[in-house]
Amino acid sequence: MFTIKVADVCVEIDNRYGFVEDVCRDYIVKEECTPAFRVQITSDEVHRMLSGATWNLTAPMAESYLINRALCRKMAEYDAYLFHSAVITYKGKCIAFSGKRGTGKSTHIGLWKDKFGKEVTVINGDKPLLALRDGKLIAYGTPWCGKEGWQTNTCAPLDAVVFLEQAKTNAITPIDKETFTHKISEQILL
C-alpha cells in the first residue's frame, strides 16, 4: 500500500502486485499527505478482466488498469477527468492532442519531440487528467501513459486542444464551440 498525488489529490493505492507501485513510482508521495480516498481492486475483478482479455494480459497489468479506471471514476468528485489525449508543453504553452485510438497521438508528439527536442515536455502520452482549478483547465500527468511510457509528474494550464483525424492531406481547421464540446465529451472517460 502506498499513496500517490494526482491532480492535487492524495490517493491511497491498496495493491497486490509490485507492478502497480512501479508504474506509480513518480507520483508516490513521501511527505504527509492525507488520502482523500482509497483505491483497491479485488482478486475477483482481476480474474474477470483476465478471463475476458483478448490480448496477452497479466494479473499485475490487469490490476494496474483497474486501479487507473477506479481512480479516474472517483476523481470526477474532485473536478478531474481522464481525457484520452497526449499532452505536451512547448515554449510555455500546453497543448492536448486528442483522437480515437490509433489516430496517431503518440506518433504526433513523437514528431514534436524529434523536431523540438528538449523544448517539448510530455505531460502524458495517453491518459492525463484535466481538472478545473481556480477557473482554469489544468492538464495533469498520471502514471498511466500508454505503451511509450511518456509522462511527467507535472501540470500546466491547457492552452489548446487539437483533435486529430487521419487524412490524405495535412490541414488544420478551427472548430466552433458546439463541435468542441461534442468532441471533448467523446474523449472524457469515466
Side-chain angles (χ1 to χ4, degrees):
M1 193 164 13
F2 57 94
T3 301
I4 64 172
K5 190 172 187 180
V6 290
D8 299 324
V9 177
C10 292
V11 180
E12 187 174 72
I13 306 294
D14 190 352
N15 60 311
R16 287 179 169 66
Y17 302 101
F19 178 82
V20 176
E21 191 167 352
D22 187 49
V23 166
C24 294
R25 70 186 168 279
D26 294 339
Y27 296 80
I28 295 174
V29 292
K30 305 294 185 207
E31 73 278 357
E32 185 64 32
C33 184
T34 304
F37 61 93
R38 174 194 280 187
V39 176
Q40 181 180 24
I41 303 302
T42 67
S43 56
D44 286 345
E45 290 173 293
V46 170
H47 291 296
R48 273 194 305 274
M49 184 170 192
L50 289 172
S51 66
T54 57
W55 69 97
N56 189 17
L57 182 66
T58 65
M61 291 165 60
E63 181 186 49
S64 180
Y65 174 85
L66 292 166
I67 284 173
N68 177 45
R69 188 167 67 184
L71 179 142
C72 289
R73 285 185 175 142
K74 187 72 174 168
M75 288 299 292
E77 295 175 21
Y78 301 88
D79 293 324
Y81 302 90
L82 174 65
F83 182 52
H84 185 224
S85 62
V87 179
I88 64 168
T89 59
Y90 172 70
K91 292 189 175 185
K93 299 292 183 182
C94 181
I95 308 160
F97 298 95
S98 186
K100 295 177 183 172
R101 182 189 300 191
T103 304
K105 295 176 298 297
S106 297
T107 300
H108 200 77
I109 64 171
L111 292 170
W112 279 69
K113 287 174 54 135
D114 290 346
K115 176 75 175 168
F116 302 111
K118 294 182 188 239
E119 292 181 88
V120 172
T121 298
V122 179
I123 291 180
N124 191 281
D126 191 45
K127 295 176 179 75
L129 288 172
L130 293 187
L132 193 58
R133 302 288 186 254
D134 298 323
K136 294 181 182 175
L137 201 54
I138 309 294
Y140 287 87
T142 72
W144 298 277
C145 54
K147 63 185 176 294
E148 292 82 7
W150 292 336
Q151 60 80 22
T152 307
N153 186 359
T154 192
C155 64
L158 190 62
D159 292 295
V161 178
V162 177
F163 294 101
L164 298 174
E165 297 175 357
Q166 292 183 341
K168 293 188 187 286
T169 59
N170 289 328
I172 189 162
T173 307
I175 58 176
D176 59 45
K177 186 176 181 179
E178 184 179 324
T179 304
F180 175 80
T181 302
H182 175 73
K183 285 185 169 288
I184 204 165
S185 68
E186 288 179 334
Q187 298 303 321
I188 297 284
L189 305 177
L190 296 175

